[in-house]
Amino acid sequence: EIVLTQSPGTLSLSPGERATLSCRASQSVSSSYLAWYQQKPGQAPRLLIYGASSRATGIPDRFSGSGSGTDFTLTISRLEPEDFAVYYCQQYGSFITFGQGTRLEIK
Amino acid sequence: QVQLQQWGAGLLKPSETLSLTCAVYGGSFSGYYWSWIRQPPGKGLEWIGEINHSGSTNYNPSLKSRVTISVDTSKNQFSLKVSSVTAADTAVYYCAGRLSSIAARQLGIRFDPWGQGTLVTVSS
């Protein structure tokens, strides 16, 4: 099983600031198999990034993904009020696993 | 645009069988792998398993002994059964799809769309 560890657990920032979220895998993950999701309270997760760096349809360009091997990053260049949510990374290996999430909260 | 609508019993007693169904609208049913994913209250996401239109399945090893995912292509629906539930199975359960083509796999495996979620509570 590939374990995904996200850091930090909680990130406190202000609107307009830059957010950098990390996802580290216990084994190497193909970039094609790494995705990021945003989840707001009471809602299903929303796909943001797939293939480590491709934005999903309709996702603003302030969201970007990067990384390879065991280290992946989600960056939000300038935080908007609607970006404060929980973010999950997900990989597809022998079976699918998710990270434990990073909560992005307003400072 | 593919949309998912899910339903099922929301309150179960320990040892009963959880049963949920997800209907697929507006797209190619055969072009996806269809998954179930759950989220205990206040916790993260756990993938349960998936099925394609021909009935080929993959399961999370930690749940495999209690889980059955099935498909009804005549109705564009797929279903989840979890046997012998306990309080630890209390969660919001989501259905979701990922494109199954080789080209889509090369671009990146991802879940889109998602169902609206169903809260299942196990309590005596």
Side-chain angles (χ1 to χ4, degrees), chain A residues 32-35 37 39 43-45 47 50-51 54 88 90 92 95-96 98-100, chain B residues 37 39 43-45 47 50 60-61 94 98 105-112 114-115:
Chain A
S32 294
Y33 296 166
L34 196 288
Y37 301 83
Q39 188 178 34
Q43 296 183 15
L47 175 68
Y50 63 94
S54 297
Y88 294 96
Q90 168 248 310
Y92 176 90
F95 63 97
I96 294 163
F98 291 87
Q100 83 280 14
Chain B
I37 296 162
Q39 185 171 37
K43 296 187 178 180
L45 300 162
W47 178 75
E50 65 182 3
N60 186 324
Y94 295 100
R98 66 171 179 92
R105 185 184 179 113
Q106 290 175 336
L107 286 173
I109 291 182
R110 68 278 193 185
F111 291 111
D112 185 32
W114 293 68

Side-chain angles (χ1 to χ4, degrees), chain B residues 29-34 49-59 68-74 77-79 100:
Chain B
F29 187 79
S30 62
Y32 286 77
Y33 259 97
W34 302 106
E50 65 182 3
I51 192 167
N52 69 2
H53 68 285
S54 61
S56 177
T57 54
N58 298 299
Y59 294 116
T68 301
I69 298 176
S70 58
V71 66
D72 184 341
T73 55
S74 69
Q77 294 175 1
F78 61 105
S79 298
S100 60

